[in-house]
Amino acid sequence: MIRSKKIGILMVEDHPLYRVGLRMALSYSGLDCVIKAEAENVSQALEVLKQQPNEIDLILLDYFLPDGTGMDVLKAAKQMLPNIKVLLVSGEDNNPELDAMIHEGLNGFVSKDVTPQGLATVITSVFAGKDYFGHDSEELSSEGAQKNESLTQRELDIIRLCALGKTSKEIADELFISARTVESHKNKIFNKLGCNSTTEMVNYAFLNGLV
């Protein structure tokens, strides 16, 4: 989903090396985002939210923190900014508090072995209003591959031309088909990829290496 501004991210993680890894993963993913701030603990995270309430759209949240847990951050963040998205990125696949965190408004969960592409897929899903739980990186990659393989060569051509900013009329002229046929192909692509618009389709294409 293409936004008018980059997704502003607060990273809450007490291990410096893993923060580096997350920054690299987001950079490699191609997601239109920017890390606005980093926090090593609960108190730092809440201070960032107080100082930058209009800058943070998403919290990438570890669970175990030196002065508390991800639950503490989640509860306070949702009270301060009810529309903020919170994604738990944890090494614990069977977190006993996961159900309670979902009840408090958690928007998604991925394990720390998620691929850069998998992380981008989850964030994109969350910002499309679809909370994301129960998928590991292999499942995410498999789902994306299945969607991509379902596309025909003509559909891939149309995605590529849309990504170049061409209108349906311009695409029709280039492919020697009618504009109505172009729109029919686009609707089929939307159904296959789970998109609702051309901008979402193009963003998906960039994130998944289709263009």
Side-chain angles (χ1 to χ4, degrees):
M1 179 173 57
I2 293 177
R3 294 158 51 87
S4 59
K5 71 181 184 71
K6 294 179 181 293
I7 298 171
I9 292 177
L10 166 61
M11 186 190 307
V12 184
E13 164 63 54
D14 63 325
H15 295 289
L17 285 178
Y18 191 69
R19 291 202 302 272
V20 172
L22 265 180
R23 286 198 298 270
M24 292 178 64
L26 291 170
S27 176
Y28 292 152
S29 76
L31 189 68
D32 193 20
C33 66
V34 58
I35 297 175
K36 291 288 188 176
E38 298 180 14
E40 297 181 358
N41 53 46
V42 175
S43 60
Q44 287 183 7
L46 300 188
E47 187 62 29
V48 169
L49 294 177
K50 290 177 183 177
Q51 294 181 358
Q52 304 181 50
N54 299 319
E55 297 294 319
I56 307 301
D57 303 303
L58 172 84
I59 301 175
L60 289 180
L61 180 64
D62 190 17
Y63 183 74
F64 293 105
L65 299 167
D67 58 346
T69 69
M71 176 67 92
D72 300 318
V73 176
L74 173 66
K75 283 184 174 181
K78 289 290 184 175
Q79 288 176 356
M80 295 168 61
L81 303 167
N83 294 325
I84 199 168
K85 304 295 185 181
V86 183
L87 178 60
L88 182 66
V89 185
S90 175
E92 301 293 325
D93 291 332
N94 297 309
N95 189 316
E97 279 212 89
L98 184 58
D99 287 343
M101 293 183 75
I102 293 172
H103 179 74
E104 293 293 336
L106 185 69
N107 300 104
F109 167 80
V110 289
S111 62
K112 283 189 173 181
D113 65 353
V114 69
T115 63
Q117 189 54 59
L119 182 59
T121 298
V122 173
I123 292 174
T124 301
S125 175
V126 165
F127 273 90
K130 302 172 185 176
D131 290 352
Y132 214 115
F133 299 98
H135 295 279
D136 61 22
S137 58
E138 291 182 0
E139 288 172 328
L140 288 168
S141 299
S142 175
E143 287 177 1
Q146 290 174 3
K147 288 181 179 179
N148 297 349
E149 289 172 1
S150 72
L151 297 168
T152 66
Q153 185 56 53
R154 176 49 58 91
E155 289 167 348
L156 290 169
D157 290 339
I158 289 173
I159 291 173
R160 176 178 56 82
L161 292 170
C162 285
L164 293 174
K166 293 183 179 292
T167 66
S168 292
K169 177 64 168 59
E170 291 170 333
I171 294 172
D173 291 342
E174 185 160 337
L175 298 180
F176 303 103
I177 56 179
S178 70
R180 179 176 294 182
T181 300
V182 172
E183 289 300 319
S184 177
H185 281 304
K186 286 173 65 176
N187 286 331
K188 290 178 182 178
I189 294 168
F190 293 167
N191 289 333
K192 289 180 178 182
L193 300 184
C195 300
N196 296 310
S197 67
T198 300
T199 53
E200 285 188 22
M201 176 187 71
V202 170
N203 194 44
Y204 176 94
F206 278 115
L207 289 175
N208 289 276
L210 296 178
V211 294

